[in-house]
Amino acid sequence: MSLLSEVPFAAVLVYSPRGQSAESRRSRDQVRDPLKRGDSEFLRTVSEQLRPFLPADLVARFLAPDVVLVPTPRGSPLASKDALWPGRLLAEALVRGGLGARVLPCLTRTEAVPKSAFAAPGERPMPERHYATMRVKRELLEAPKRITLVDDIVTKGATLIAAASRVKEAFPAADVRVFALVRTMGLIPDIEAIRAPCVGRITFDGFGVSREP
């Protein structure tokens, strides 16, 4: 096992899991819920409206025209090729909007893990568990030089750092980064705005995962 100690991270929107302000409730009703449903209208809106308010630095580092987008796998193996896969739908929407070169769905889940969003803080799957249940299918003769893993929502980042570790293992020469459309803001009472682009990092020290910001 070879888990990365850190990986560059970017996100665009935020949502509040428990806040009661109008903006916090809107972040759940109009962002989290349609995203989790794989709502086609929501994803179309993302592909059309995301680009104008993204910082140029974020695009250059994570979603540039030469970056291959690898969807982060769901929490369980796909039951069929038509099963809902939010990460892949999001990656495809980003490419349609001119963000990223192409989608490479090479990362799969071999067995199910509990969803972090529904687990108690001390019971969320650690990176080691995610890493052990993921595999990379090599589908290209020429390895990508720049890869961004794409997920719909990030809580602390255990899934993303495990996924980045697997991809880096398969493509050691590649620059691997991670992108989530939405980051969870569970440690503050309410959010002030849903749009909050950021660039930071996810770190793993062998004991726990942290996300900044």
Side-chain angles (χ1 to χ4, degrees):
M1 182 181 298
S2 179
L3 283 163
L4 297 172
S5 60
E6 69 175 66
V7 62
F9 151 76
V12 184
L13 310 175
V14 297
Y15 101 92
S16 170
R18 290 175 293 275
Q20 293 304 307
S21 70
E23 195 73 351
S24 293
R25 292 196 299 270
R26 191 167 74 89
S27 75
R28 295 190 291 271
D29 297 340
Q30 299 182 21
V31 176
R32 180 198 63 184
D33 292 351
L35 187 58
K36 286 300 186 184
R37 291 195 305 267
D39 185 274
S40 59
E41 179 63 20
F42 177 81
L43 289 166
R44 183 189 64 79
T45 301
V46 167
S47 66
E48 291 179 354
Q49 299 183 4
L50 193 62
R51 184 66 182 263
F53 71 86
L54 284 180
D57 177 62
L58 188 156
V59 173
R61 294 171 62 183
F62 294 85
L63 301 169
D66 63 333
V67 175
V68 173
L69 305 185
V70 173
T72 302
R74 305 185 323 158
S76 59
L78 291 172
S80 72
K81 67 178 181 179
D82 298 320
L84 179 63
W85 185 354
R88 181 169 185 171
L89 293 174
L90 176 57
E92 291 169 348
L94 290 171
V95 170
R96 286 197 301 271
L99 297 165
R102 62 188 181 280
V103 179
L104 178 63
C106 65
L107 191 58
T108 63
R109 186 78 74 168
T110 59
E111 61 182 273
V113 296
K115 289 182 177 295
S116 295
F118 303 125
E123 298 175 358
R124 291 172 179 155
M126 292 293 287
E128 295 94 337
R129 175 65 174 155
H130 287 292
Y131 178 91
T133 63
M134 293 180 185
R135 296 290 183 272
V136 174
K137 299 186 297 182
R138 292 292 300 265
E139 298 182 356
L140 294 179
L141 295 177
E142 183 178 350
K145 295 181 180 178
R146 301 182 68 194
I147 296 172
T148 292
L149 281 139
V150 174
D151 209 351
D152 53 353
I153 298 176
V154 58
T155 303
K156 294 192 72 173
T159 300
L160 282 169
I161 203 160
S165 299
R166 275 294 185 194
V167 169
K168 185 66 174 178
E169 184 178 73
F171 304 107
D175 175 27
V176 178
R177 299 168 181 261
V178 301
F179 171 86
L181 180 65
V182 181
R183 55 191 166 107
T184 305
M185 302 298 284
L187 299 180
I188 60 174
D190 281 297
I191 60 171
E192 296 181 0
I194 292 174
R195 290 185 180 183
C198 74
V199 171
R201 62 178 185 162
I202 295 170
T203 59
F204 175 58
D205 63 4
F207 298 97
V209 182
S210 60
R211 187 197 82 203
E212 178 61 37

